Amino acid sequence: MPELPEVETIVRTLKPQVQGKEIKKVELLLERTLEAGKDYLPTLQGAIIHDVFRRGKLLIMGLNQPATESFKAHEPWLSYELLLIFHFKMTGRFFVHPPGTQALKHTRMIFDMDDGRLFFDDMRTFGYCRIMKPAELKDWPFWSTYGPEPLDTPALELAKLLKEKRTNIKATLLDQKVIAGIGNIYADEALFRARIHPEAKAHEVQLSRLEKLASAVQEVLKISIQECGSSIRDYRDAKGDAGSFQNNFLVYGRKGEKCKVCNESLETKKIAGRTSTFCPHCQY
DNA sequence: TCCTCCCTGTTC
DNA sequence: GAACAGGGAGGA
């Protein structure tokens, strides 16, 4: 569930709790949670968590002092000796517990620091951790094909990327290779705000309408970050707090309820393998 | 390019 | 006791 605004919120709430801390010990409670870099596991001991970043839906910890400052602005993670990369998928979360706290039912990894234990919990076990050197990132297909950051890219540029695809617009928004960080919630909310039907073919939609859609994407992401993300069921930040953007939903999870614009009933349909909620009257 | 599967807890 | 939630890999 954590999409871009939720991961951004996790980064912001986790960073003050781990920055500058030394990793004393790592416990891997579920083998498959560590998707890559098992050989590096022993080298984590004694490493310093220097900084925490986000790229798309990924959270990245930069370990040990930067070797050089030259990359800092654009891709700050490139300057660290080693990286801890996490994908939360649906139910991944972080929480720092007091020393001595026992693993919980869904705890998959524990990072012991001097004054606390960082738990990576994940009920549905789709989330993962990778330990990587920056030089290895280019060989990881998911990373090397990741689309641009929607909040760092002009709306017109995003619109042009959407315009290139022949699939329906919902699938295009969910495709991380086109734009990074958008999931089911923000795709539906942005499509409604731009009044575009989720099944419209991306390349058939006028560029001006796609630009409006890109602006709507940026707007919902920005506002959601301000609201600390959306909490539907499982999402919590690294302090255990829920977000509040769910109060701003115009369509997501509102099947059968009335459209706030035209008063017609909202409908759902499975599109691109996801439940899509939309207004059949306002969106075309 | 689209569909199925992975997984577990909650809701119908 | 089935349907549902859903990001992304992999197969049809």
Side-chain angles (χ1 to χ4, degrees), chain A residues 108-265:
Chain A
R108 310 307 181 195
M109 288 184 90
I110 300 176
F111 301 84
D112 271 305
M113 306 177 294
D114 323 275
D115 56 348
R117 315 192 81 197
L118 174 62
F119 283 24
F120 180 64
D121 293 353
D122 184 16
M123 182 182 82
R124 283 157 78 177
T125 73
F126 285 8
Y128 58 76
C129 171
R130 299 176 68 100
I131 313 171
M132 302 179 81
K133 301 220 161 169
E136 296 167 332
L137 286 172
K138 61 178 188 330
D139 302 320
W140 178 24
F142 181 69
W143 178 277
S144 58
T145 62
Y146 227 157
E149 284 292 324
L151 295 178
D152 298 342
T153 311
L156 180 58
E157 207 171 305
L158 296 175
K160 287 177 181 169
L161 294 174
L162 296 170
K163 183 80 177 166
E164 288 175 15
K165 310 302 284 188
R166 306 187 73 82
T167 46
N168 64 58
I169 190 66
K170 175 70 183 272
T172 307
L173 284 174
L174 293 177
D175 186 350
Q176 304 298 298
K177 297 182 186 68
V178 181
I179 301 174
I182 303 167
N184 203 32
I185 294 173
Y186 299 99
D188 276 7
E189 291 298 317
L191 284 168
F192 176 78
R193 284 162 172 79
R195 302 188 61 173
I196 297 174
H197 195 287
E199 288 181 299
K201 299 288 178 209
H203 71 287
E204 290 175 358
V205 181
Q206 292 170 347
L207 188 61
S208 59
R209 297 188 74 209
L210 290 175
E211 192 178 0
K212 191 179 169 192
L213 174 61
S215 299
V217 165
Q218 294 175 329
E219 185 184 287
V220 291
L221 294 178
K222 270 188 214 163
I223 297 173
S224 184
I225 289 170
Q226 286 171 21
E227 303 264 337
C228 301
S230 308
S231 291
I232 315 299
R233 284 167 290 273
D234 305 294
Y235 168 73
R236 292 293 182 278
D237 69 21
K239 295 193 316 234
D241 294 331
S244 58
F245 187 72
Q246 65 277 11
N247 301 326
N248 300 46
F249 288 172
L250 299 180
V251 285
Y252 183 87
R254 298 190 63 241
K255 177 188 182 177
E257 294 179 39
K258 294 198 182 310
C259 171
K260 299 196 176 185
V261 172
C262 73
N263 231 28
E264 293 269 322
S265 279

Side-chain angles (χ1 to χ4, degrees), chain A residues 69-76:
Chain A
E69 300 286 327
S70 59
F71 300 104
K72 266 241 149 175
H74 239 94
E75 298 181 289

